[in-house]
Amino acid sequence: MSQVLTTKKTDDGPYKILNAKNQLEIWLVGFFNNIAVENIAGHKLRLTNNLMLKEKYFQAFVVYVGSNSALAIAAAILCAYIAPAAAGSGIPEVKAYLNGIDAYSILAPSTLFVKIFGSIFAVAGGFVVGKEGPMVHTGACIASLLGQGGSRKYRLTWKWLRYFKNDRDRRDLITCGAAAGVAAAFRAPVGGVLFALEEAASWSLSLSLSPQHRNIIHVEIVRWRSALLWRTFFTTAVVAVVLRSFMEFCRGGQCGLFGEGGLIMFKINTENSTYGTPDLIAIVLLGVIGGVFGSLYNYLVDKVLRTYSIINERGPGTKLILVVAVSILTTCVSFGLPWLSQCLPCPTDLDDQCPTVGRSGNYKNFQCPPGHYNDLASLFFNTNDDAIRNLFTSANDKHFQLSSLFVFFVSIYCLGIITYGIAVPSGLFIPVILAGASYGRIVGRLFGSVATLDVSLYALLGAASFLGGTMRMTVSLCVILLELTNNLLMLPLLMLVLLISKSVADIFNKGVYDQIVKMKGLPFMEAHAEPFMRQLVAGGVASGPLITFSGIEKVDNIVHALKMTNHNGFPVIDEPPFSDSSELCGLVLRSHLLVLLREKKFTKKKVSLRSEIWRGFKAHDFAKPGSGKGVKLEDLDFNEEELEMFVDLHPITNTSPYTVVESMSLAKAAILFHALGLRHLLVVPKTPGRPPIAGILTRHDFMPEHILGLYPHLNPHK
């Protein structure tokens, strides 16, 4: 029977149940994350502040550096020894997965565990990092765990979830999980949907056996579609509503120090949102500054990450030492620099207490006499969320000196660069917002005599410009910032500053997440073909040497090929007497070969046993194993007699693979490969009388580095 392409649609009923379970776990994790960070950091800062008020400065420093170091060590031990894949933001890895790259253990249960607790320890430990990026990764890990039916390794499996054990549903769930992570971190449901659309979602393809037709291979082209849109929106809406309810519950004091500082929600002064020509000039300037600083930030982060990768190769102990060193440096900066700032008298007619007693507030006393406050300590000696709130406050009383804002900007800019890349979960959103809001407030102060907008709005625009300059997102960032500040009147200005900063930064380099994906060597497929690909043909870059199998192949040949190569797909050739002439039968996957070899459906002669082979298999035997243990070649054992036997590959062969002629333009082949989300693209000869297969194209063959290595004379820009 000839094999055809089919498309399987998952019924929405079970999907809604699984999606609801996904939402429940994500908002529970988000709520727990916020409570833990606020209470741990709050008690640490309150204890240190109380010692400062008693003028026990050395004891306060010892408590501060000791607490931060202990939390840093806890986060580093988790990342270095349990789940190294949990270090960093996680957004580049999620983005790569949704592009079709399944890197090792990026969505494993151990990664999820370390991501949650490591992020809590790192943020509460005073690092210049955020929990927003890790929340995106956490949401994706939870969705992946549910989508694959649990984990065999940790004996957490649910048989009913095998219904979703295919690539399309798993990727849909992971997209929803990533969006829910943004909603849980920022309380921005629409922004979460747009973030998943703009930054995470991609095109990918799954190849698996259809349960309805065992001899039919079905192909799922996974892309952003209307069903995924409403599912993602539903997920983020539920997460945001439930988190909001818990936040209101905690404001009564039932959750310790959790309350105003728990979920990010920044209040911006909207009394005067009108703007004139000087304001527009300042906004354009902010966009240019954000583009220049953002591209420089990305360049320096790339260099630091490459340096850290060399250091971290020496082992977990070296990672731990690096984390402790950065923690001590950060602690010394945040505790030491406020001593350089002069004390300011408390403004009169304030609703807030001055100086502030406790963990948060705009008026930290630090070393100042009664009735005075230290503006730089109000930024450094707070949680990152509270520091942003302080920067977004109105300037009616000029809370922060220009010198303090400049020192804070330089410190956060540099600390953010050297912190990202150490062995702790670390997000980039908060450091970038802090630095951007600082120089935005500086620009607002400088234009204060001619500008109409309040400096708090300039701080918001500065944060937007730096975000656009580093991450190169526009629509999702704009909506996230609007939901963060609840200020729709700033929409035109946010759009303008984001477009300017992104356009300026694109002149110099790519976005930070794109650079990290490239630095990690992940073969990310862009939607467009490089210009120099138009000068080449598909046959010129096809992978070699080519390894093919016969339709009925000797077991020893298959085992030898699997041992000697890491290829995931092999062309199958039918030869006489099973066909009139040598012809391409199709493509067989490595994972399917291993399953077939495990069952040992062998024959002593070269005969076809298509119907008999299927009797011992079920459709889910060929499903993707996920993070559980799949079939490995090392686990299979064959004696000499079995190696000399034959196995029929026709039942597990995809007889309808995508093919291109060898003379097709490589640029066209690249666009086809990405648009269809392929893993393998077979290249067939143009002229008769030759072998039926000329080569095979994989994702690696379309990478610019690989092509330029084959053709070094090509100009990469032409």
Side-chain angles (χ1 to χ4, degrees):
M1 181 185 295
S2 63
Q3 295 172 330
V4 297
L5 294 175
T6 66
T7 302
K8 176 171 112 6
K9 181 180 179 182
T10 302
D11 178 56
D12 274 345
Y15 198 101
K16 289 178 180 177
I17 297 174
L18 185 57
N19 214 12
K21 188 177 179 66
N22 186 23
Q23 298 159 17
L24 175 66
E25 296 191 3
I26 290 173
W27 64 252
L28 280 175
V29 169
F31 183 66
F32 170 72
N33 193 313
N34 284 293
I35 284 184
V37 168
E38 286 298 310
N39 280 280
I40 295 173
H43 285 296
K44 175 193 71 177
L45 292 172
R46 188 165 63 178
L47 177 59
T48 307
N49 191 54
N50 289 339
L51 291 172
M52 294 289 293
L53 292 174
K54 298 176 182 178
E55 298 185 359
K56 298 180 179 180
Y57 302 128
F58 180 74
Q59 294 179 3
F61 176 74
V62 171
V63 169
Y64 192 51
V65 71
S67 302
N68 285 346
S69 298
L71 292 168
I73 291 172
I77 289 175
L78 289 174
C79 274
Y81 291 96
I82 299 178
S89 169
I91 292 178
E93 289 79 4
V94 173
K95 181 177 179 179
Y97 180 86
L98 295 175
N99 188 257
I101 305 167
D102 194 358
Y104 177 72
S105 73
I106 61 172
L107 299 176
S110 59
T111 304
L112 171 63
F113 172 81
V114 173
K115 205 73 179 185
I116 295 172
F117 290 96
S119 176
I120 292 172
F121 294 146
V123 176
F127 284 112
V128 184
V129 297
K131 55 183 180 290
E132 291 66 35
M135 276 300 300
V136 174
H137 194 183
T138 298
C141 288
I142 293 174
S144 175
L145 186 64
L146 293 175
Q148 69 189 24
S151 172
R152 297 180 192 174
K153 180 179 179 181
Y154 298 99
R155 297 182 180 180
L156 298 172
T157 57
W158 305 276
K159 290 185 178 180
W160 69 274
L161 289 176
R162 289 187 304 181
Y163 186 87
F164 303 93
K165 205 168 185 179
N166 61 78
D167 276 346
R168 191 191 74 166
D169 288 331
R170 283 187 64 192
R171 293 186 193 280
D172 279 5
L173 283 169
I174 289 170
T175 302
C176 292
V182 175
F186 290 110
R187 210 169 75 214
V190 180
V193 175
L194 294 175
F195 177 85
L197 171 61
E198 185 174 6
E199 186 66 18
S202 184
W203 298 62
S204 57
L205 174 122
S206 66
L207 291 171
S208 57
L209 289 170
S210 171
Q212 291 82 5
H213 307 282
R214 290 181 174 179
N215 63 330
I216 295 178
I217 300 292
H218 81 270
V219 180
E220 302 281 2
I221 299 176
V222 183
R223 57 190 179 274
W224 192 265
R225 58 195 188 281
S226 58
L228 180 57
L229 180 64
W230 79 257
R231 288 169 178 171
T232 308
F233 183 74
F234 176 70
T235 303
T236 58
V238 172
V239 169
V241 169
V242 175
L243 278 174
R244 175 72 182 187
S245 301
F246 270 84
M247 183 177 177
E248 293 297 331
F249 170 77
C250 286
R251 280 182 177 168
Q254 293 90 339
C255 304
L257 295 175
F258 182 85
E260 290 291 338
L263 288 173
I264 301 176
M265 193 69 180
F266 304 124
K267 296 179 181 179
I268 301 291
N269 182 13
T270 58
E271 294 180 359
N272 187 8
S273 297
T274 59
Y275 48 88
T277 302
D279 295 299
L280 291 176
I281 295 174
I283 291 167
V284 172
L285 177 62
L286 277 177
V288 175
I289 293 173
V292 173
F293 282 164
S295 59
L296 178 61
Y297 191 89
N298 292 357
Y299 172 80
L300 295 175
V301 165
D302 182 69
K303 296 300 180 184
V304 169
L305 285 176
R306 294 181 186 276
T307 303
Y308 284 174
S309 65
I310 298 173
I311 297 174
N312 292 335
E313 286 177 355
R314 300 181 179 180
T318 308
K319 295 180 181 180
L320 185 60
I321 293 173
L322 181 60
V323 170
V324 173
V326 174
S327 174
I328 294 175
L329 174 62
T330 304
T331 303
C332 292
V333 169
S334 60
F335 192 90
L337 288 181
W339 291 88
L340 304 178
S341 179
Q342 65 180 18
C343 295
L344 301 176
C346 290
T348 58
D349 301 328
L350 283 179
D351 295 332
D352 297 335
Q353 186 181 17
C354 181
T356 304
V357 177
R359 62 178 177 83
S360 62
N362 293 354
Y363 308 99
K364 287 288 185 180
N365 180 267
F366 207 64
Q367 88 290 7
C368 296
H372 292 72
Y373 72 98
N374 187 315
D375 59 343
L376 195 53
S378 301
L379 297 175
F380 274 119
F381 227 60
N382 261 323
T383 62
N384 292 333
D385 292 353
D386 285 330
I388 295 175
R389 286 188 180 85
N390 292 344
L391 288 170
F392 282 176
T393 54
S394 174
N396 294 333
D397 302 302
K398 296 185 179 180
H399 297 155
F400 303 104
Q401 304 172 88
L402 284 175
S403 58
S404 299
L405 291 171
F406 179 77
V407 170
F408 185 72
F409 164 69
V410 173
S411 302
I412 293 298
Y413 191 93
C414 297
L415 288 174
I417 291 170
I418 66 172
T419 303
Y420 193 83
I422 61 176
V424 297
S426 52
L428 281 172
F429 275 96
I430 292 301
V432 170
I433 291 176
L434 280 170
S438 300
Y439 72 69
R441 199 172 178 98
I442 291 174
V443 171
R445 288 281 299 276
L446 295 177
F447 279 79
S449 59
V450 294
T452 309
L453 293 174
D454 189 82
V455 293
S456 60
L457 300 178
Y458 276 104
L460 173 63
L461 293 170
S465 70
F466 202 21
L467 284 168
T470 54
M471 301 180 184
R472 313 296 162 84
M473 294 181 287
T474 52
V475 180
S476 57
L477 282 179
C478 184
V479 174
I480 287 173
L481 289 172
L482 289 176
E483 291 182 287
L484 275 176
T485 58
N486 196 25
N487 189 357
L488 191 60
L489 297 175
M490 295 299 294
L491 176 61
L493 300 182
L494 284 173
M495 294 171 64
L496 178 62
V497 77
L498 282 168
L499 288 172
I500 293 174
S501 61
K502 181 186 185 303
S503 301
V504 172
D506 282 340
I507 298 174
F508 302 101
N509 50 32
K510 292 185 177 181
V512 64
Y513 296 137
D514 294 325
Q515 289 191 170
I516 294 172
V517 167
K518 182 178 179 181
M519 189 212 70
K520 291 191 173 185
L522 301 174
F524 190 87
M525 279 289 293
E526 299 288 352
H528 59 83
E530 298 293 336
F532 60 83
M533 291 184 181
R534 295 193 294 265
Q535 307 174 41
L536 303 173
V537 294
V541 298
S543 297
L546 189 63
I547 298 176
T548 63
F549 293 138
S550 299
I552 301 176
E553 186 59 79
K554 192 175 181 180
V555 175
D556 187 43
N557 293 340
I558 298 176
V559 173
H560 181 265
L562 295 178
K563 283 182 178 179
M564 300 304 295
T565 70
N566 293 321
H567 300 334
N568 288 305
F570 301 89
V572 178
I573 309 296
D574 270 337
E575 298 175 345
F578 301 100
S579 62
D580 296 334
S581 61
S582 181
E583 63 181 27
L584 177 65
C585 174
L587 183 77
V588 64
L589 297 181
R590 182 187 190 93
S591 58
H592 293 176
L593 284 171
L594 291 171
V595 174
L596 186 63
L597 291 174
R598 181 186 61 186
E599 298 301 320
K600 297 186 178 182
K601 301 283 186 176
F602 306 149
T603 59
K604 292 184 178 181
K605 296 182 179 180
K606 256 191 170 184
V607 293
S608 178
L609 298 174
R610 301 192 185 194
S611 58
E612 295 182 14
I613 286 180
W614 277 116
R615 292 176 184 173
F617 291 108
K618 296 181 181 179
H620 62 76
D621 290 334
F622 294 91
K624 188 175 181 180
S627 61
K629 184 180 180 182
V631 183
K632 295 181 180 179
L633 185 61
E634 296 79 12
D635 299 331
L636 304 180
D637 186 32
F638 306 100
N639 56 41
E640 293 296 330
E641 182 181 359
E642 289 172 335
L643 291 174
E644 295 300 319
M645 298 175 75
F646 297 89
V647 60
D648 189 358
L649 301 182
H650 292 98
I652 62 168
T653 300
N654 174 18
T655 58
S656 302
Y658 283 93
T659 61
V660 295
V661 69
E662 60 183 348
S663 59
M664 174 183 273
S665 166
L666 186 61
K668 283 186 178 180
I671 294 172
L672 175 69
F673 193 94
H674 179 272
L676 295 177
L678 302 179
R679 289 182 64 189
H680 305 94
L681 183 60
L682 304 186
V683 181
V684 297
K686 184 178 181 180
T687 57
R690 297 169 55 190
I693 179 77
I696 185 169
L697 290 171
T698 65
R699 176 183 294 266
H700 171 75
D701 298 303
F702 292 103
M703 293 297 103
E705 298 81 6
H706 171 70
I707 298 173
L708 294 175
L710 295 175
Y711 301 94
H713 63 279
L714 289 177
N715 187 336
H717 303 294
K718 291 185 179 180

